[in-house]
Structure formats: C-alpha cells, structure tokens
Amino acid sequence: MTTTTISRQFNGPDSSGNGGYVAGLVSHPVADHGAAVVTSTLRVPPPLDVPLDLAFDGHRSVLSDGATVVADAVAGAFDVDPAPFVGEVLARLGSEAYEGRVEHPFPHCFTCGTARTPGDGLLVFSGPVDDPGFPGTVAASWTPHPAFADAEGRLGTEVVWAAIDCPGGWAAHIDRTPMVLGRMTGQILSPVVTGHDYVSVGTLRGVDGRKHRTGTALYGVDGTLVARAEQTWIAIDITDFRRPTRHVPA
C-alpha cells in the first residue's frame, strides 16, 4: 500500500478531483500487473489535498481515505470500436467551436477549464464536429505542454487519462446537463509526448436516465490511435459540486 494525494491543481469540479486523472491514478497497480485495459470506477467525489491510501490485492486496486472507498479499478475490456478519427482540420474547427467558452459548469477543470492557462491546465477544448458523417461527435486539436511531461517529454498515465476524459462530457452536452464521470475504461497504446500534435475525439454512445455513455480517443494527426476510453457520466445537481473554493495556479 502507498500513500498519495490529489493536488488541487488536478480538480474537475472546484472541490473534487478530475475524474480522468483519478481514474488514471487508481489504474496504475492494475496496469503494472499486466492489464492492457483497465476499468476505474469513482465511488465518491475525490477529495483534494488529503492523504489517500492506494492498495492492490492482486486483482483490484482501491483508493481510499482509510474509511471510504474513493475509487477502485480492475482489468477491463472494450466491446465497441474507438471514437472515430475526424482528421486534423475538423479537430481544429472543433476547438474553435468549443461550447465551454459560452457556458461551462466547471471552468477551473484541469482538462477543459477555460479559466486555466497553458502549463496549469491541459486546455483540451473539444467542440462539435461540423460533418454529418460524425454525428454526436466533438473534437479538438491538442498539443501537450512540457509542464506535464517527464525528462523524456512523456506525459504520465494520470495526465493522459485526464486528457481523454472531458471530451466525453462535451459529447454528452455537459454544458446543458451538468454531469461528472462515474466509470472509465481506458487504454494507452503508445506514449503521449510533448512536441507532437494530437486529435482528441469524444462521441455520444447513448443515454439511460441520468447515465450518459460516451467514447473518447486520442489520435496522432496521421490517424494512429494513441489512447482510448469508454465512459459512463452521471447527471448531477451542480449546486452539490460548486463550492466557494477556487483553484489558484501555483
């Protein structure tokens, strides 16, 4: 068992952790023991700046505060094709059409918050794809900032999972129906590195009451699949997730 802390920089809603970042964090022990695909489930809003225990029993990893399970993860699998590659041009136009600039439920979100700056947030701004061949799809052009990379320019697992998190929310119209990530099945197929441009995609799979199912993917500009995820988002009462605290860049 190890102890870890979710820094306030990595928030989604103002007072809790970014869903993709936390899902990636809890996926580590499962992936380290051979699982190519991992399913992470968030059980409660992940607390910020609080020491948490990360334990692994050989099958399941658990992130907890000692009494409450915050998130857990097990080996996973995909039963659908990845969210589609839309090409660099449509991705760039999607970024320009990002609806979060007009209405954003969580403007300080680490992944997609408009109140963030380069090197503080990821700035993955995925907007509607204006092409009838890609219904229910959003996309963004994205270049990772060196602030999130190691000495070799590679982004960590948590950051990559965060990058393929929020495009799913925007495909499900998070600006109209506030929601948070409930479950994420993810896979990183090759390193995500600085100095390279990527196409980020999210697509809506379906809606069942409060649950919104989405798929996301990260591609190289040549169409090579780099990372992907399938997600379940849960519609929420946004007043339960808005607090007076605001992120202050370090």
Side-chain angles (χ1 to χ4, degrees):
M1 184 170 63
T2 60
T3 300
T4 187
T5 301
I6 304 165
S7 166
R8 186 162 295 278
Q9 179 181 8
F10 305 117
N11 70 289
D14 287 343
S15 59
S16 58
N18 176 279
Y21 184 91
V22 177
L25 175 66
V26 75
S27 79
H28 264 294
V30 182
D32 288 347
H33 283 76
V37 181
V38 180
T39 296
S40 297
T41 303
L42 305 180
R43 303 295 180 180
V44 298
L48 301 171
D49 293 335
V50 174
L52 299 171
D53 296 327
L54 181 59
F56 182 65
D57 64 5
H59 168 71
R60 172 176 175 249
S61 62
V62 176
L63 184 70
S64 74
D65 64 3
T68 301
V69 173
V70 174
D72 56 19
V74 294
F78 295 116
D79 59 5
V80 293
D81 292 333
F85 178 65
V86 303
E88 190 175 8
V89 173
L90 287 176
R92 186 175 65 253
L93 293 173
S95 292
E96 294 172 358
Y98 179 48
E99 294 170 322
R101 295 189 181 92
V102 178
E103 179 66 28
H104 201 309
F106 307 119
H108 294 82
C109 173
F110 172 63
T111 301
C112 66
T114 52
R116 294 300 191 107
T117 56
D120 174 49
L122 296 182
L123 311 185
V124 180
F125 295 157
S126 47
V129 174
D130 187 16
D131 187 310
F134 301 104
T137 299
V138 298
S141 56
W142 181 58
T143 305
H145 193 283
F148 306 113
D150 63 15
E152 297 179 343
R154 298 185 178 193
L155 273 63
T157 297
E158 297 95 325
V159 176
V160 176
W161 276 58
I164 57 173
D165 171 15
C166 296
W170 289 101
H173 305 294
I174 193 172
D175 54 330
R176 305 175 201 170
T177 304
M179 59 188 76
V180 293
L181 186 69
R183 178 169 290 160
M184 185 168 176
T185 297
Q187 180 182 22
I188 300 174
L189 291 91
S190 59
V192 179
V193 297
T194 59
H196 289 253
D197 298 327
Y198 295 91
V199 170
S200 176
V201 183
T203 193
L204 181 63
R205 304 290 194 194
V207 180
D208 180 13
R210 293 175 58 217
K211 295 182 179 181
H212 296 65
R213 293 179 292 103
T214 61
T216 65
L218 190 67
Y219 291 92
V221 295
D222 63 354
T224 300
L225 182 64
V226 175
R228 63 167 299 192
E230 294 296 317
Q231 307 161 327
T232 300
W233 292 78
I234 309 298
I236 53 138
D237 180 347
I238 196 166
T239 59
D240 294 335
F241 285 80
R242 280 183 171 163
R243 299 290 185 271
T245 303
R246 289 291 184 267
H247 172 80
V248 177

